[in-house]
Amino acid sequence: MNQNIKSLVAELNEYRDAYYNRSDPLVTDAEYDALFNKLKQLEHESGIVLSNSPTQTVGYEVKSKLNKVKHDIPLLSLDKTKDINTILDFSKANPCLLMLKLDGLTVELLYKDGLLIQASTRGDGHIGEDITHNAKVFNNIPLTIPYKGLLRVTGEAIIHKQDFNTINDNLSTDEKAYANARNLVSGSVRQLDSKICANRNVCFILWDVLEGLDEECDNARSDKIAHCVRMGFESSITKYFVYEWAKEYLPEWIEEMKYAAEKEGIPIDGLVIKYDSITYSKQLGGTSHHNNDGLAFKFEDEVVESRLQNIEWSLGRSGQLIPVAVFDPIKIGGTIISRASLHNVTVMKNLLGDFPHNSQKIFVMKANQIIPQIVTAEKRLPSDSEMIPEHSDCFKIPDCCPVCGFPTILEKSNNTEIVSCVNPHCTGKRLSRFEHFVSKQAMNIEGISTSTLEHFIEKNWLKEFVDIYKLDQHRNEIIRMNGFGERAYDKLWDAIQTSRTVSLDKFLVSLGIPTIGTTAAKSISNYCHGDISEFEYLINQDFDWSILDDFGQTTSDNIKNWFNDPFNATNYVDLLNFIQIQKPEVKEIKSSAFVNKTVVVTGTLKHFTRDSITDKLEELGANVSGSVSKKTNYLIAGEKAGSKLSKARQFGVNILTENQFLEMIS
């Protein structure tokens, strides 16, 4: 019956499109009405109504903002591997499901007594955004299902490749093409106006049931997914298997599933393996980052050959010039790329040799399928510089700033060569400072792009950080700017207003004090109990910040020098007239071996990201440090621990493996 409903919906929608959009009716009104009534009858009998059914007259809903949703069951990530042997080892324990790892946006749907009552994004796994208004206009979500009780499912919102290409093909000549389907679906699902989402052909692919169907299904994930398919959901391509089969056929299955996804136009970036037994899955537990009952098998990063065209130099907020490689456009992972950062002079020389030139062969990948990166290149060293083709131009380190024209200086810092602009008032530095100020780790002002900042700086609206909070003075002019309008301005201004309440650590990061990044700012904030008054008292007392872990004399001097500069001090006071520093909630510290202990984490961890283990350690009462010293109590060492491990041994620090750490906190 479900398949009949899908077929009728597709057929009737084709007739509707021909009638309303192409003025080319394919059937008579009587024939259409007969099919329409048949669909209504099937929907009534089955209790299944799809979101794109012609029987639904869902209006387009406009939201003023997306509300936050707390996930009752956290939507955690997956541990990752690129090694097929890891997948095989994983499958030894229990029968598994092999599914496509869809490249879209994770979405949770909640049904109560057969009605869709809420849809939300994954967010950070604990707090997401309410997108119910947009989910109702997805192509294939059932709005009603034949199920009484609570059903919570999760899956991926995607845009099929053919739809993505059609959307790009139909853009006007002055509209910029969308980079990839993942970014497009993420933006579409978060639109305030559901009409925009409805025009993007977003689909929902289910891949797990988090709650419900316990009485209807056995203790098997595959049974619950199959039951959902019978209720109208579309599920991921899935293969059930046991270890004995996988030993022989796993490589073949991987290629089959990649081919099937390509044929169906489904965007993927790997495969997922999960245990089929729900009981066994629950026994395995997990971490704050992921559950232990599944793995993401990431495909190897694709490496593509190109030719170097040029090296451009962009200016960082500290005045450092960053080399950026510009090369012949290449397509990797569905997107066209032609630029990759070389970070600094040392990295540039290590990758390209001492004489990079504009005919040089390079090999490029997208690290983790996101960040363009040069892997290697045909190098030209001093001994063979004569081998460079005559028509090629060698690229030199700039002797003047590309923004202000002032001289540059080449210097060495921590064995790394960098080029810096000597002009303290360079306008390029101003742009970088504002980019840093609005960034997520600082004031987190959403919606201010680099190009928007450039426009505002060019018009002289932004000289100092406080000017961000005075942009309402230019409201009428901003609304008339290309790409803006009243709605875009209101969204920007709301984000600016939201940023006015901020924690002390993020505020300190935003100021751009040299060497005061996220870790150092947290240390200061913790020492001052998140209280701006305590911080200012210590500043006025000429406090020696080097007594804090990881704070050497240089960092302490940087803080003092920054606040002793009258220009900085004045801007700091002006900024606080518009900003409220919010003290952190006092959290109950769990009793543990890490209370008031200084802990350093190094190397690659299997069960944690660097942010998640920092959060966990702070929850356990630890002080997380970035470097090893005699004050360090514990070093948690993952793979490729490096020099910190050697230093910890030298100081006699307690060294823990990740598993030992997990055992201590279990």
Side-chain angles (χ1 to χ4, degrees), residues 616-661:
K616 186 65 178 176
L617 285 164
E618 289 178 349
E619 179 186 321
L620 295 167
N623 301 311
V624 183
S625 175
S627 61
V628 176
S629 70
K630 293 179 180 178
K631 300 176 185 177
T632 305
N633 299 108
Y634 291 100
L635 175 81
I636 300 173
E639 296 177 9
K640 301 178 182 177
S643 60
K644 289 182 182 178
L645 179 58
S646 302
K647 199 169 184 181
R649 286 173 176 153
Q650 177 186 336
F651 289 140
V653 173
N654 290 317
I655 298 169
L656 302 175
T657 65
E658 185 177 4
N659 286 336
Q660 287 171 329
F661 169 68

Side-chain angles (χ1 to χ4, degrees), residues 413-575:
S413 175
N414 296 324
N415 295 319
T416 299
E417 282 189 296
I418 59 173
V419 186
S420 301
C421 171
V422 301
N423 179 9
H425 304 293
C426 177
T427 55
K429 291 181 185 179
R430 194 195 308 178
L431 173 62
S432 298
R433 286 173 57 239
F434 274 100
E435 283 180 315
H436 176 74
F437 182 80
V438 305
S439 66
K440 188 172 183 178
Q441 68 268 27
M443 299 303 289
N444 192 22
I445 304 177
E446 297 180 359
I448 302 189
S449 65
T450 298
S451 59
T452 299
L453 288 173
E454 283 179 325
H455 283 309
F456 291 171
I457 290 171
E458 285 172 6
K459 291 181 176 291
N460 223 24
W461 296 342
L462 297 180
K463 297 177 183 176
E464 299 308 325
F465 295 147
V466 70
D467 295 331
I468 287 274
Y469 300 97
K470 300 176 181 177
L471 282 171
D472 57 328
Q473 299 173 2
H474 310 287
R475 179 182 184 277
N476 294 335
E477 293 169 277
I478 293 173
I479 287 172
R480 292 194 295 270
M481 284 174 55
N482 186 32
F484 267 85
E486 288 194 16
R487 184 178 296 175
Y489 170 82
D490 290 342
K491 186 177 179 181
L492 171 63
W493 187 244
D494 285 347
I496 291 172
Q497 294 302 99
T498 300
S499 77
R500 290 178 59 177
T501 301
V502 67
S503 61
L504 177 59
D505 60 311
K506 284 182 171 288
F507 177 63
L508 293 176
V509 170
S510 74
L511 297 177
I513 303 169
T515 67
I516 302 300
T518 303
T519 303
K522 272 193 174 183
S523 295
I524 295 172
S525 180
N526 290 340
Y527 190 81
C528 298
H529 307 98
D531 190 330
I532 187 72
S533 299
E534 286 190 37
F535 173 73
E536 291 179 342
Y537 173 79
L538 295 176
I539 289 294
N540 293 330
Q541 296 299 313
D542 200 28
F543 181 71
D544 182 6
W545 297 97
S546 66
I547 70 168
L548 275 64
D549 287 336
D550 295 340
F551 278 54
Q553 197 57 50
T554 299
T555 300
S556 183
D557 289 344
N558 285 342
I559 298 171
K560 293 178 183 180
N561 293 338
W562 196 91
F563 280 95
N564 286 335
D565 184 321
F567 182 78
N568 291 335
T570 300
N571 289 321
Y572 169 84
V573 172
D574 290 344
L575 195 53

